[in-house]
Amino acid sequence: MDTRDEFTPATVRRLALRAGYMCAKPDCKQLTVGPSEDRKSRVTMVGVAAHITAASAEGPRYDADLSPIDRASEANGVWMCQTHGKLIDDTESRYTVAELRRWKKQHEEWVFARVASAGSALKHGLTSVSIENVGPFRQRTTISLGRHNVVFGSNGSGKSSLCESIAAFSGGSNFETFRKRWGLFGARSPNMMIEAAISVNGVHTKVRLNEEATALKRIPKHHQTRLHVEVNGNVAPHWPRSLFNIVYLDSQNSKPNRLKDAFRRDLRALAPQLGLSEDQLWDALREELFCSSTFGSRIRRIGEYRAEIRSAGSDHFYETGGVSGSEHTFALFDIILRMIRVDPRSAPWVIIVDSSLFLGLDSESKRRLVNALNALDEPAVQTVVCVNSEEDAVELTADDSERWIGSSATGALTVHSFL
Ligand SMILES: [Zn+2]
């Protein structure tokens, strides 16, 4: 006798709505509903209300202690895409009751946070940066940031100082680049100060880093500086680096690792910024992960440190060395965005694109890149894009000029920001 304690249509609907119609598997979040021109309902649905403990005795994770009513209740369901709905039932030893409950709870919290923040980057992102004694910023300068920012100015106007100062907050190689570039923490160090205001789901934190002199009187000429950290005005032993998930793209970044293969070189520079090892990033180049990507690149690994790219509109995969500069750049962005999408951390992501990355792109590609980044809804990333010429800045922003709200000039550097 097989009796199944099925969910009622009302329970299925509630499970789907509470999940935002997205698969609850943490690295999936597939949208499961959309328009159909052929079905009578005019809706296609590729999601399922999966049972956490099975609806019948033969099913996976069956719990004989549950009453039929509990078994068919909302508490015993989790919303999944069809693929993962089947996967969790076919491999029940791996996907335990506790694991599925964790997914459901995490996913509902994630959906709630998205609804509550109403899409505003200023409730979830870097709201301002202050800089003093870094590059051309001799006096304290505060720059407000919107969700998407285009910065323009000629060489030496401070674009790189701004980019590197922001990136420094993420620590690691970004902080090293910043420290070396401006000769900080040395004998003749210029007493730099950088401060970032960041908001994570509406919770504001101010992080201030500055050089503090430590003169050793017994040894003349031995002046050193050390890092002084304040968080929300209080002295702190460390700064909360985990609040700053920053990818800084600069054609200079990957130069020091001296690899001939430009793609491998870029991935090696990128991996630590994404919180991954080089090998982990290569392992992520699985074709199925890239079946849908922002710029339409399909990427697959074909060997140790070898990959192929099929760019949007092309029928063939080509080994990375055989694609054009813009196809290479778009593939890199597709990799970054894919990795950010599956990142479990809740802190906001900031992608900084320095002007050097744009030099190799024609204006059509520049526009495509900036428009796509600005239209990004998921993942909710904040962008800072630097360009050298005012023409580029105007061209890149023309389509959305009414959306530009903040524009402040600091010498030869102008920051536009819009929400
Ligand atoms: Zn899924």
Side-chain angles (χ1 to χ4, degrees):
M1 286 288 284
D2 182 24
T3 54
R4 291 180 56 84
D5 299 315
E6 300 287 6
F7 300 123
T8 63
T11 302
V12 170
R13 185 174 143 80
R14 198 156 54 238
L15 280 165
L17 285 166
R18 288 180 58 92
Y21 281 98
M22 281 178 274
C23 176
K25 191 168 186 290
D27 57 356
C28 179
K29 293 187 167 38
Q30 170 70 46
L31 187 61
T32 59
V33 68
S36 162
E37 299 314 316
D38 300 313
R39 289 186 64 93
K40 219 193 252 169
S41 63
R42 312 232 335 120
V43 167
T44 180
M45 173 76 81
V46 294
V48 289
H51 278 79
I52 295 177
T53 73
S56 68
E58 296 74 36
R61 297 173 297 274
Y62 183 71
D63 181 355
D65 293 339
L66 283 189
S67 70
I69 288 172
D70 286 344
R71 209 169 281 131
S73 71
E74 185 196 316
N76 193 38
V78 56
W79 191 255
M80 306 251 87
C81 68
Q82 285 183 343
T83 302
H84 291 127
K86 180 151 193 328
L87 184 75
I88 62 167
D89 285 353
D90 288 354
T91 45
E92 62 172 306
S93 61
R94 193 156 160 177
Y95 301 113
T96 60
V97 171
E99 178 78 346
L100 298 181
R101 288 202 195 291
R102 188 174 67 82
W103 288 1
K104 180 183 180 181
K105 182 164 179 290
Q106 266 182 7
H107 182 69
E108 289 188 352
E109 282 169 5
W110 179 82
V111 172
F112 180 79
R114 284 180 62 88
V115 173
S117 73
S120 163
L122 293 180
K123 288 176 188 156
H124 195 63
L126 204 55
T127 53
S128 74
V129 186
S130 301
I131 307 173
E132 188 178 330
N133 282 323
V134 176
F137 296 97
R138 299 265 65 99
Q139 309 214 320
R140 188 186 165 117
T141 309
T142 299
I143 294 154
S144 298
L145 295 168
R147 171 135 184 225
H148 299 295
N149 307 272
V150 171
V151 181
F152 77 87
S154 52
N155 280 331
S157 62
K159 297 192 303 293
S160 292
S161 324
L162 173 67
C163 293
E164 284 166 9
S165 298
I166 296 173
F169 286 96
S170 61
S173 62
N174 284 333
F175 186 81
E176 272 309 292
T177 305
F178 171 72
R179 188 185 67 78
K180 280 194 193 135
R181 168 84 183 264
W182 306 110
L184 305 173
F185 305 105
R188 261 193 289 270
S189 201
N191 199 19
M192 129 344 248
M193 186 288 303
I194 51 176
E195 186 174 77
I198 192 160
S199 177
V200 180
N201 294 323
V203 179
H204 301 277
T205 309
K206 247 187 189 177
V207 179
R208 180 189 165 107
L209 309 178
N210 68 274
E211 286 176 287
E212 189 179 59
T214 60
L216 298 175
K217 290 230 173 76
R218 286 179 293 116
I219 313 169
K221 292 184 187 168
H222 191 108
H223 289 273
Q224 282 200 328
T225 52
R226 66 180 172 207
L227 184 65
H228 175 82
V229 179
E230 282 180 22
V231 178
N232 291 331
N234 298 311
V235 179
H238 307 288
W239 83 88
R241 280 166 228 204
S242 59
L243 289 182
F244 301 92
N245 291 323
I246 292 168
V247 174
Y248 177 29
L249 295 164
D250 172 11
S251 64
Q252 303 300 314
N253 277 359
S254 62
K255 286 248 169 77
N257 65 42
R258 289 201 184 92
L259 288 166
K260 247 194 216 150
D261 179 337
F263 188 74
R264 192 178 165 192
R265 198 165 64 208
D266 285 343
L267 289 202
R268 183 178 284 186
L270 197 55
Q273 304 196 65
L274 292 165
L276 300 169
S277 70
E278 184 183 6
D279 285 342
Q280 280 172 323
L281 187 51
W282 278 94
D283 287 344
L285 302 185
R286 299 193 303 274
E287 195 176 351
E288 70 270 18
L289 264 185
F290 293 92
C291 54
S292 71
S293 60
T294 305
F295 295 104
S297 323
R298 303 278 292 259
I299 299 153
R300 66 185 182 200
R301 188 175 179 175
I302 51 164
E304 200 181 25
Y305 307 122
R306 287 174 62 215
E308 285 181 335
I309 297 171
R310 195 185 97 184
S311 49
S314 163
D315 293 333
H316 296 284
F317 278 91
Y318 295 99
E319 202 163 342
T320 52
V323 297
S324 73
S326 55
E327 287 167 339
H328 172 114
T329 303
F330 287 131
L332 278 188
F333 274 95
D334 276 329
I335 291 170
I336 293 165
L337 294 171
R338 172 51 66 186
M339 293 303 108
I340 290 177
R341 259 186 204 108
V342 300
D343 182 81
R345 290 171 291 183
S346 60
W349 278 90
V350 185
I351 298 179
I352 304 171
V353 184
D354 210 339
S355 50
S356 56
L357 201 95
F358 274 99
L359 295 176
L361 298 182
D362 58 36
S363 49
E364 177 56 37
S365 299
K366 281 183 205 169
R367 255 201 311 276
R368 189 171 157 223
L369 183 65
V370 173
N371 286 340
L373 288 176
N374 289 356
L376 270 184
D377 196 29
E378 217 281 305
V381 297
Q382 193 175 10
T383 58
V384 179
V385 172
C386 294
V387 291
N388 277 326
S389 74
E390 189 169 350
E391 281 145 47
D392 270 351
V394 169
E395 191 184 354
L396 292 176
T397 56
D399 293 345
D400 294 294
S401 50
E402 80 281 5
R403 292 168 64 199
W404 293 77
I405 53 155
S407 157
S408 60
T410 55
L413 171 80
T414 300
V415 180
H416 292 282
S417 76
F418 67 89
L419 295 174

